[in-house]
Amino acid sequence: MYGVTTIVVLFVATFSTAKAKKDGMEVIHTASTREYQRNRSTILSVRFSPLCFDDIPTVKGLATILSPYHHLTFSSYDVIRPRDPSLGGKISPHDLNCAVSAPNALIGSRDRTDSGTNPVKAAFQIANATKMVEQGLFPYFDMLSFYVKPMDAPPPGSTVFVKGFSHSQREPFEWDVDFITGYHFPLLVKVQQYTGKAWNQLYKVEIWVDFGDDALDWEFCIDNLEVQFHETTEVEGGHGTAEQTVFAGWMEA
């Protein structure tokens, strides 16, 4: 659903000008172990480029995300190509910027098929833990950053809520941000900087948006989701260094 009035994030002037990297083959991260004794198991960090969802073909501007997508499964999300001519008149001109890296982004909301008091929230989570372990990856991820904005919404504004469920602690990570009424850009959320904590060893993340005094559900979009996975390896020899160079969406040892 879309309203007629746009909204502006409270600190848009500070954070909305960040640009996504355009070079899809740029080296994102090099993770190397330190000195290890013979046969000691080590952990390598594997950071993919931000998930931009631009490789998913759309039909009339929309698509479903097949699972797994980079080891994750997405529920209550669809792929949206905001500038597709088929969406003309169905999306606010002020929401054409929701795809930070053109052409696609994700659009999400709470699942309205659940008529109970606890509707299913849009979420992404580990798709297949067993398969990840078989591939030498731990069945969790770290969330580093992402872009988010509520879709064109009416006053008095809206609040984005984010909740991360982790193996590292009993209580989930939680964070929220208010968007006031008016035009706005997608907000780059640098997770550790904004929340004061590193969101590590996650197996599920929920995002939802409320607006108005009645906390009604509202659609939102996310893009350039930056996550980090971890793999284990055995370092042979008395002392050694194992190095992993990660490119956009794939790895080279």
Side-chain angles (χ1 to χ4, degrees):
M1 56 183 173
Y2 302 95
V4 295
T5 306
T6 56
I7 57 179
V8 59
V9 68
L10 289 169
F11 33 86
V12 62
T14 304
F15 298 110
S16 65
T17 58
K19 297 182 179 179
K21 296 180 180 178
K22 297 181 179 180
D23 187 355
M25 294 304 296
E26 181 178 358
V27 176
I28 302 300
H29 184 66
T30 300
S32 64
T33 63
R34 297 180 179 178
E35 296 292 317
Y36 287 92
Q37 300 296 331
R38 179 180 177 84
N39 295 328
R40 181 174 178 179
S41 178
T42 65
I43 298 177
L44 296 178
S45 297
V46 181
R47 185 188 303 176
F48 291 104
S49 66
L51 304 183
C52 302
F53 316 102
D54 298 328
D55 57 334
I56 302 175
T58 60
V59 177
K60 295 184 178 180
L62 296 170
T64 300
I65 312 174
L66 298 180
S67 179
Y69 184 76
H70 293 276
H71 305 296
L72 301 175
T73 185
F74 292 78
S75 57
S76 296
Y77 282 104
D78 289 300
V79 179
I80 185 170
R81 187 183 182 107
R83 295 186 181 275
D84 190 294
S86 301
L87 297 179
K90 300 178 181 179
I91 182 172
S92 167
H94 294 153
D95 287 331
L96 298 180
N97 63 5
C98 67
V100 178
S101 60
N104 295 344
L106 292 189
I107 183 171
S109 68
R110 280 176 287 197
D111 190 348
R112 296 181 178 279
T113 61
D114 185 345
S115 58
T117 58
N118 188 29
V120 178
K121 300 178 176 69
F124 51 90
Q125 58 192 328
I126 293 297
N128 190 324
T130 301
K131 187 174 182 179
M132 289 185 68
V133 172
E134 291 173 349
Q135 295 175 343
L137 294 172
F138 285 100
Y140 55 72
F141 61 94
D142 307 334
M143 187 166 68
L144 307 179
S145 67
F146 62 97
Y147 282 87
V148 65
K149 64 169 280 185
M151 303 300 280
D152 192 25
S158 55
T159 302
V160 175
F161 296 89
V162 187
K163 180 181 289 188
F165 299 87
S166 172
H167 294 295
S168 65
Q169 61 182 46
R170 180 172 299 178
E171 297 298 323
F173 297 103
E174 296 188 83
W175 181 78
D176 60 80
V177 59
D178 294 322
F179 286 74
I180 64 173
T181 304
Y183 176 71
H184 60 94
F185 297 93
L187 170 68
L188 173 58
V189 180
K190 300 179 181 179
V191 176
Q192 183 169 356
Q193 177 180 334
Y194 286 12
T195 69
K197 296 181 180 180
W199 288 34
N200 294 336
Q201 299 187 31
L202 302 172
Y203 58 89
K204 181 179 181 180
V205 172
E206 294 179 342
I207 302 177
W208 70 99
V209 176
D210 288 342
F211 85 98
D213 295 333
D214 295 329
L216 299 174
D217 175 47
W218 198 254
E219 291 177 328
F220 63 93
C221 65
I222 65 171
D223 201 8
N224 288 28
L225 171 64
E226 188 178 13
V227 296
Q228 180 171 270
F229 299 93
H230 299 275
E231 69 172 7
T232 61
T233 187
E234 294 294 331
V235 179
E236 300 295 337
H239 293 81
T241 301
E243 185 172 283
Q244 185 89 5
T245 302
V246 181
F247 293 84
W250 58 283
M251 298 176 290
E252 180 175 282

